[in-house]
Structures are given as C-alpha cells and as structure tokens.
C-alpha cells in the first residue's frame, strides 16, 4: 500500500472502532432504546403518504377502509387548496393525486359516507391550486415525476369530461369546460412513450415497478404477478396492478395491501416495508460516536441478514442498489464483523458508482457511502488496500467534482443539501490531500454562514435533523477546530439537538425523496442522537 493508502487507514482507524469504552449523557440507553424499537418494527417508522393513499383510494375503492381514507385526505387539504409538504413544487404531485382520487370517487359513486358536496368543494379548491402550481416550475427530482404528473393531468381532464362530474355545480369554471394544462416542462406523451418501450421489450422492467401506476392503464396484463408482497414495495403500484393485471396472484397482492393498511390505520406510506433502509442508516448513524455495547449484537444481526453477495435491495421488489449495499458493508465493519465489499463492483461506472443498473443520474450520497464502506473495510483488512485504492481514488475525485461553488453538495434522495454535504464531508474526511481538505473547509465555511439565529440549520427552516448534519460537518473540519465562531455555532446547536433528543415523540418533517417527500422518523432521530453525543464528547 502506498503512503496515501496508509494515511487513509490511520485516519479512520478510530472512526471504525465498534465499541466506546466510556459514554456520557445516557447515550447508550438512548441508542439501545432506538435500536430495540427498530428491531421490533418489521415495517419501519414513517408517516403515511398523501400521494400513495390517494392512489390506492382511486385504484382500489373496494379495499376495506375506503371511507377512512377519503376523510383523511379531505383533512389534509391545505388552506391554499393544495396537498403535501414542502415548497410549492413539491406539492404538485400530491395535489394531482388527491384531486384525481376525489374526482374518481365522484365519477364512480364510491363516496361511501362522505358527502358528494364536500368532495366537490375540495376538488374545486384543488383544481384552482393546480392551475397555479402548474406554472411554478423548478420541479424536484423525485421518483418518476416526469411520468406520474402528466398521467394524472390526463386522468383529471378525462374525469372532468364525464357528464356526471361536469354537472356538479360546485366545480364552477371546470364544469363549463376549463381544463388543466400540463405543468411547465412536462410532456403529455411521455407515459405513452414509456409504455411503448415496455411493449417493445416484452415486459415492464423492474426499475418501473415502484412507479407502475404511471403506466398501468397503458400496459394491462403486462406484469405477470406480485409474488408474496407489494409490487415494487409500493401500495400505489400494487393497487394499479390489481386494477389492470391478470387474475393470478391477486389474493396475495390483496393480502399484502391489507397488511400495510392495518399497520397504518387504513392509510399507506411511500414504500413498505422500509426496514432494510431504516436499520442500515440507524446503525451507521449510531456508530459514529462509537456503537454502545448493547447495540452491537442486534446491529451485527441486521448486517448479517441484509448483506447479500449480489447487492442489497432497499425493499422487496426493488432493484439491488449501491447505496444499501454500501451501507450493509459499512454497518458490518462498524459493528466489528466486516464483510467483503466486492458486491459494490457490480455498480461500478467509469469514475463513480451507479446507484442501480440503468440509473439516469448519479447520486453523491450513494458514492459517499461506497467510499466510506471501502475505507471502513480497509481498517479491518489493510492488506487488501492495493486492489481497492484506485477505485477509492476515482470515487473521491468524482465526489470532489460534484461540490457546488458555494461549498455544498446536493443529491436526488434528499431535499436538503445538509444531508448530501455531511455524507460527502464524512467520506472525504478519511482521505488526505490539499484538495480534499479545501473541499471540507469550504463546506464548513458555508455551514457557519448559514446558521439561523436560534442555532438551527435547514433548507426551508431549521430542523433538528439538518442541524445534526451541520454539526457533523463542523466537527469533521480540522480547519474549524477551536475557531471561536465554530465553537459558538456548536454551542447554539447543542440546545436544538438536546431538545429533540428529549422530545422523541415530536415528528421530524419530511425531507427525503421518493415519489414525494417523506420522513423516516427513526433514521432522523438516530442522526440527532448521535450528533448530540459527538458534540458533547468532541467539542473543540
């Protein structure tokens, strides 16, 4: 191994130690409680999704709990008439989804105990909001939004053309012929083109299963079955398959959909289960300050169960991906039971890793996790370094090239640059060189400049989760250790983190990307809990 590789090994040897000898402020108890909670929940802790619940309401009105879903969707409508969380561009898809579901309910007379008058009023308000949202632009890079949004606009206009719907007096101009236009930048023909490619290929590729609802009407009978669970881990895709697919396997799909509804009180999350994703991210977060002894056995058990030589899937029915595969390798190493990182090689691109085979856009956080995984593996198996060094150098350099001029990184899996920046800084901090150090310094400078007066950080407003990421960035910057402004920033942030740790019942806001925004609660709480421990034990 060359001098650079030896420096890497030396710099991360402490980070990869699985058990800390001393703990303060009850971190072991908090970490163990969180690990136990995650271990006892096979589904994962994530609130229900407006988008997903509305899709099931539209595709499967016969499923038990339909009236409960309608009532809940009506309750979620915002004062402006839209649905969803985050800034306006993020509310487009949820608002399209619910508006279409309510129109479908009116058209099919499946309102159950909910008044048609109330449904029509919500639709009218939603359509007016969509008219404004469609002109917004700046759409997020969420899963298949370029297919899902145009399909929903077409469906909504089709409903409005039906006499039973058009006759509703509460719809105002929409009853007199006004129709939605495709939102700026979307193509009405794209769902048809995607469906045509599937027909030409003789089937629907696995990467489209999670968002199958966007093409389901165009591809009836094209997915042969849903073996033992949800199609692509998605309630919406499964409900769409049930409405358009073959008879074989229907009972299993209904059973799976019903089980999710029971877990979520009749509602549906973005994906189910998220236990693979949740366990790996929780384990890695809690290991940053040193994994408490009581947490080591369950984390080792998770890693042993989830690690796969052909790559790890984030949920049943999804493609194996480098992000989950890297985190399984990393969690194994941090828990003191290292596993061979060779499954990562299946995702190698020219100078980085593809998240999955057939990916369109690269992920900075997935590559950061891959670099961390290789670094942690080498802390246990340093003699394998020569074979891995060139790949690590390529990944490091690719990550450096992704840094924005303001010092941050962005990523398609999370709305906040604090998440992507923390992941990249953490990965790069295990590597030497002036360029790497400059990148970390630039990121930390940006963090210092962006702190709110109350001590928090956030892309749309301060959150404990994003504050945890910002704290990690500052703690990972050697050029900021001991600087008065950094010390003061960390002191202010400590109050934010402590309050969140002592109020675990409070919900973390939705910042993560799937089809829409979602909020994995245990993962966010693990980040906050670990960052507070790091801050209290490594404060400059």
């Amino acid at each position: 191994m060359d001098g650079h590789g030896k420096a890497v090994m030396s710099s991360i040897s402490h980070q990869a130690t699985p058990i800390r000898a001393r703990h303060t402020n009850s971190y072991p108890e908090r970490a163990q409680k969180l690990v136990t909670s995650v271990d006892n929940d096979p589904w994962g802790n994530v609130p229900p999704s407006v988008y997903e619940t509305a899709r099931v309401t539209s595709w499967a009105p016969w499923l038990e709990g339909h009236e409960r879903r309608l009532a809940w969707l009506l309750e979620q409508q915002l004062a402006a008439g839209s649905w969803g969380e985050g800034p306006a561009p993020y509310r487009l898809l949820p608002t399209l989804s619910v508006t279409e579901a309510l129109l479908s309910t009116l058209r099919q007379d499946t309102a159950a105990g909910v008044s048609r008058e109330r449904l029509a009023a919500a639709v009218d308000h939603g359509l007016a909001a969509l008219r404004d949202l469609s002109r917004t632009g700046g759409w997020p890079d969420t899963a298949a939004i370029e297919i899902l949004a145009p399909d929903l606009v077409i469906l909504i206009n089709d409903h409005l053309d039906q006499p039973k719907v058009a006759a509703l007096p509460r719809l105002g101009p929409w009853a007199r012929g006004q129709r939605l236009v495709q939102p700026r930048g979307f193509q009405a023909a794209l769902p048809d083109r995607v469906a045509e490619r599937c027909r030409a290929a003789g089937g629907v590729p696995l990467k489209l299963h999670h968002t199958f609802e966007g093409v389901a009407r165009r591809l009836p009978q094209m997915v042969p079955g849903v073996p033992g669970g949800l199609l692509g881990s998605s309630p919406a895709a499964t409900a769409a398959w049930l409405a358009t697919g073959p008879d074989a396997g229907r009972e299993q799909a209904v059973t799976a959909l019903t089980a999710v509804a029971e877990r979520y009180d009749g509602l549906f999350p973005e994906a189910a289960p998220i236990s693979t994703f949740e366990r790996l991210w929780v384990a890695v977060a809690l290991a940053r300050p040193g994994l408490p002894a009581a947490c080591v056995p369950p984390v080792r058990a998770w890693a042993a169960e989830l690690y796969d030589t052909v790559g790890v899937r984030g949920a049943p029915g999804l493609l194996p991906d480098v992000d989950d595969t890297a985190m399984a390798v990393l969690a194994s190493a941090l828990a003191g039971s290292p596993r061979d990182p060779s499954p990562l090689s299946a995702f190698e691109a020219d100078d980085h890793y593809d998240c999955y085979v057939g990916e369109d856009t690269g992920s900075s956080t997935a590559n950061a996790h891959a670099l961390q995984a290789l670094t942690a593996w080498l802390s246990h198996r340093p003699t394998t370094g020569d074979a891995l060094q060139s790949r690590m150098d390529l990944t490091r350099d690719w990550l450096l090239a992704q840094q924005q001029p303001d010092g941050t990184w962005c990523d398609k899996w999370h709305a906040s640059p604090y998440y992507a920046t923390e992941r990249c800084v953490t990965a790069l901090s295990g590597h030497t060189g002036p360029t790497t150090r400059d990148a970390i310094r630039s990121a930390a400078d940006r963090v210092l400049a962006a702190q709110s007066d109350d001590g928090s950080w956030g892309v749309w407003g301060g959150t404990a989760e994003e504050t945890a990421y910002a704290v990690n960035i500052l703690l990972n910057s050697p050029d900021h250790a001991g600087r008065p402004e950094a010390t003061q920033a960390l002191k202010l942030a400590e109050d934010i983190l402590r309050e969140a740790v002592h109020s675990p019942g409070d919900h973390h806001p939705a910042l993560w990307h799937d089809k829409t925004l979602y909020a994995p609660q245990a993962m966010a709480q693990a980040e906050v809990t670990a960052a507070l421990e790091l801050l209290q034990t490594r404060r400059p």
Side-chain angles (χ1 to χ4, degrees):
M1 185 182 301
D2 62 18
H4 172 68
K6 291 178 181 177
V8 170
M9 295 307 98
S10 174
S11 68
I12 61 91
S13 60
H14 174 70
Q15 298 177 26
T17 302
I19 305 174
R20 293 182 66 244
R22 298 177 59 207
H23 300 277
T24 60
N25 297 326
S26 301
Y27 177 68
E29 289 83 4
R30 293 191 186 107
Q32 183 180 8
K33 182 178 180 180
L34 186 55
V35 166
T36 300
S37 174
V38 170
D39 201 39
N40 290 335
D41 184 2
W43 294 99
N45 186 357
V46 60
S49 160
V50 165
Y51 168 85
E52 209 80 10
T53 299
R55 293 298 78 228
V56 175
T57 300
S58 179
W59 285 106
W62 44 265
L63 189 69
E64 185 176 354
H66 180 67
E67 183 175 346
R68 152 75 171 143
R69 287 185 280 279
L70 284 174
W72 183 78
L73 290 172
L74 289 172
E75 292 168 1
Q76 302 307 306
Q77 190 169 29
L78 303 173
S82 59
W83 282 267
E85 300 184 67
Y90 282 92
R91 297 198 300 273
L92 173 69
L93 195 60
T95 305
L96 284 168
S97 182
V98 182
T99 302
E100 190 283 327
L102 300 186
L103 280 167
S104 178
T105 298
L106 289 167
R107 179 177 174 180
Q108 299 179 50
D109 285 327
T110 57
V114 181
S115 78
R116 289 174 60 83
E117 183 74 8
R118 186 180 178 195
L119 290 172
V123 166
D124 182 48
H125 209 186
L127 289 168
L130 284 170
R131 183 179 54 209
D132 297 332
L133 287 171
S134 294
R135 296 191 286 263
T136 300
W139 312 115
D141 187 13
T142 50
I145 188 173
E146 71 279 5
I147 299 171
L148 300 175
D151 179 61
L152 286 168
V153 170
I154 293 168
L155 274 172
I156 286 171
N157 287 336
D158 181 59
H159 290 317
L160 292 172
D161 288 338
Q162 303 306 311
K164 184 179 290 187
V165 173
L168 292 167
R170 289 299 300 266
L171 293 187
W174 308 98
R176 297 192 294 273
Q178 183 171 315
R179 297 294 178 264
L180 289 177
V181 298
Q182 285 292 340
R184 180 188 304 171
F186 289 104
Q187 303 173 36
L190 185 57
D192 288 323
R193 291 205 299 269
V194 171
E196 182 55 38
R197 288 198 293 267
C198 292
R199 284 190 289 269
V204 180
L206 191 58
K207 66 176 289 188
L208 282 180
H209 284 194
H210 184 61
T211 54
F212 178 66
E213 68 271 18
V215 293
R217 295 182 299 117
R218 299 164 178 83
L219 298 170
Q221 309 289 312
M222 281 290 285
V223 178
V226 184
L230 300 179
L231 179 65
S233 80
S234 166
T238 305
W241 178 84
L242 283 166
T244 61
D247 292 334
R250 294 182 62 83
E251 184 177 347
Q252 286 182 312
V254 172
T255 298
L257 207 56
T258 301
V260 179
E262 289 175 353
R263 165 64 173 81
Y264 289 92
D265 192 24
L267 310 177
F268 295 93
E270 289 275 325
I274 66 161
S275 53
T276 295
F277 177 43
E278 179 182 75
R279 291 178 180 192
L280 292 174
W281 266 249
V282 166
V284 169
L286 294 179
R288 287 193 193 103
L291 199 59
C295 298
V296 173
V299 168
R300 286 180 174 173
W302 293 348
E305 178 184 354
L306 298 174
Y307 176 86
D308 195 318
T309 56
V310 299
V312 179
R313 302 171 189 269
L318 298 181
L319 286 166
D321 68 87
V322 79
D323 214 3
D324 288 282
T325 303
M327 291 295 265
V329 173
L330 179 57
S332 299
L334 294 176
S337 57
R339 285 181 169 76
D340 191 344
S342 59
L344 295 174
S345 63
F347 306 98
E348 289 179 0
D350 291 338
D351 58 353
H352 67 289
Y353 290 94
D354 283 338
C355 222
Y356 52 86
V357 177
E359 182 184 38
D360 297 323
T361 55
S363 165
S364 61
T365 62
N367 278 271
H369 291 151
L371 183 57
Q372 281 186 269
L374 294 175
T375 306
W377 161 261
L378 287 178
S379 72
H380 292 277
R381 302 288 189 272
T383 58
T384 63
D386 291 342
L388 295 175
Q389 194 62 56
S390 61
R391 173 51 56 177
M392 293 171 66
D393 290 346
L394 283 171
T395 307
R396 177 204 60 204
D397 292 345
W398 185 86
L399 285 175
L400 289 170
Q402 308 311 305
Q403 190 174 27
Q404 303 296 306
D406 67 355
T408 64
W409 279 265
C410 297
D411 194 61
K412 62 184 177 181
W413 301 122
H414 202 286
S416 174
Y418 292 104
Y419 171 71
T421 303
E422 187 272 336
R423 289 314 199 243
C424 293
V425 164
T426 299
L428 293 171
S429 65
H431 296 261
T432 59
T435 305
T436 300
R437 184 160 181 161
D438 288 346
I440 293 172
R441 182 193 307 116
S442 176
D445 284 342
R446 173 61 179 171
V447 164
L448 278 179
Q451 188 176 30
S452 300
D453 290 341
D454 67 354
S456 67
W457 282 271
V459 64
W460 303 318
T463 71
E465 179 188 345
E466 292 168 282
T467 300
Y469 300 140
V471 164
N472 289 342
I473 293 166
L474 290 175
L475 291 177
N476 269 309
S477 175
D479 292 312
H480 289 75
R483 280 176 52 177
E485 60 269 38
T487 301
Q488 178 62 21
L490 291 170
K491 182 179 179 181
L492 290 172
E494 187 171 344
D495 292 336
I496 301 294
L497 298 178
R498 185 181 295 107
E499 182 178 355
V501 163
H502 287 290
S503 305
D506 293 348
H507 287 298
H508 296 278
L511 292 167
W512 294 74
H513 282 180
D514 191 349
K515 301 173 196 177
T516 59
L517 291 172
Y518 71 105
Q521 297 296 307
M523 289 159 53
Q525 193 65 18
E527 296 289 349
V528 171
T529 302
L532 179 61
E533 174 69 359
L534 281 170
L535 181 55
Q536 292 176 333
T537 57
R538 300 185 187 178
R539 183 187 292 107

